Amino acid sequence: MIKVCLADNFPVVHFGVKSYFKDHSDISITANVGSFLMIRDILLTKEIDVLVLDLELEGLSSIFEVKSLLKNFPKTKIIIFSGLSEQIYAPNAIKAGVSGYVHKKEKLETLGQSIIKVHQGKIIMNETVKKNLALIAKQSKSERLYRKLSNREVEVLRYLSGGKKNHEIAEILSLNEKTISTYKLRLLTKLNVTNLVDLVNKAKSLEIV
């Protein structure tokens, strides 16, 4: 039996997922958490094979925190189960070490299949994400710099688009405010815009928010 921990903000998601897998022959939802801070305690006290994690989970501010979880708990596979754009967020998540990305618009049957495949050691992503990763791998360094945003840049752009100020983002990500300003300048350059309003509009067009 594959032991699964679901980490999500919303009780209705916990209820729906737990109900769907209640009588599943291969999957058992053995833990439910509503904040990122609770995950470590669960992984320290229970044997969890697969962590199903929403990137918008309370207390989770950066993909680097997910990377740290993978480093500290290497036996636990992670599937991102999120409503955020798969095209934008999945490549960075896969590069950080997660084993799969399932969009919340998918059926729970798809989530179940993904849990089983990930437990078997496979990496789960759709064809669009595969093509994006292949394209990025073929690009020169200068092309990647222009076309591809780093994990941290995506995070800063997401918070800027949500109305956060530089000092607020710095506090959330535990970075220096000057560092956030540097990321902001990089984003303006990479996305070929000159002001915050256009930057936010570009973020919306890329489905980063």
Side-chain angles (χ1 to χ4, degrees):
M1 188 67 76
I2 304 169
K3 299 179 181 65
V4 176
C5 173
L6 174 64
D8 195 279
N9 289 333
F10 302 104
V12 66
V13 175
H14 287 283
F15 177 79
V17 171
K18 197 159 188 175
S19 296
Y20 180 83
F21 291 107
K22 183 177 63 174
D23 299 316
H24 201 282
S25 58
D26 299 310
I27 296 169
S28 173
I29 307 298
T30 57
N32 296 76
V33 298
S35 75
F36 189 74
L37 292 175
M38 297 170 66
I39 293 176
R40 187 174 294 272
D41 290 338
I42 290 293
L43 295 182
L44 284 170
T45 57
K46 291 189 176 183
E47 186 178 326
I48 299 296
D49 299 308
V50 179
L51 170 65
V52 177
L53 172 68
D54 190 343
L55 284 178
E56 296 182 282
L57 182 69
E58 180 185 340
L60 173 58
S61 60
S62 168
I63 192 68
F64 293 95
E65 292 176 313
V66 178
K67 198 170 183 177
S68 177
L69 270 186
L70 287 162
K71 181 181 179 181
N72 293 322
F73 302 95
K75 291 183 179 179
T76 300
K77 308 289 187 182
I78 294 181
I79 291 177
I80 300 300
F81 185 50
S82 177
L84 293 173
S85 169
E86 193 168 3
Q87 186 172 347
I88 296 295
Y89 289 92
N92 283 338
I94 297 295
K95 281 161 60 180
V98 307
S99 297
Y101 196 109
V102 178
H103 198 277
K104 282 187 173 180
K105 67 183 178 183
E106 299 288 346
K107 296 178 180 178
L108 288 177
E109 178 185 2
T110 301
L111 177 61
Q113 292 168 350
S114 298
I115 289 170
I116 292 170
K117 289 177 181 178
V118 161
H119 186 248
Q120 293 170 343
K122 298 175 183 176
I123 303 295
I124 305 300
M125 67 186 99
N126 69 20
E127 288 304 314
T128 301
V129 175
K130 286 180 183 177
K131 288 177 183 177
N132 283 351
L133 286 171
L135 179 64
I136 291 165
K138 291 177 182 178
Q139 290 172 348
S140 68
K141 188 173 181 180
S142 60
E143 286 177 319
R144 285 200 300 269
L145 182 64
Y146 176 75
R147 296 183 184 181
K148 186 62 187 171
L149 302 181
S150 69
N151 290 338
R152 190 66 87 188
E153 286 163 350
V154 168
E155 290 167 352
V156 171
L157 181 52
R158 181 176 156 202
Y159 286 121
L160 284 171
S161 301
K164 299 290 186 185
K165 304 297 183 185
N166 284 14
H167 69 90
E168 294 176 307
I169 301 172
E171 186 175 344
I172 292 170
L173 298 178
S174 299
L175 295 172
N176 188 286
E177 188 174 343
K178 186 178 289 187
T179 303
I180 301 301
S181 297
T182 300
Y183 279 120
K184 186 175 176 180
L185 286 173
R186 286 184 193 171
L187 287 164
L188 290 168
T189 301
K190 286 188 179 184
L191 297 180
N192 196 29
V193 293
T194 57
N195 57 70
L196 183 58
V197 173
D198 288 343
L199 187 64
V200 171
N201 287 334
K202 182 61 74 77
K204 289 178 180 176
S205 70
L206 292 172
E207 297 182 35
I208 286 176
V209 294

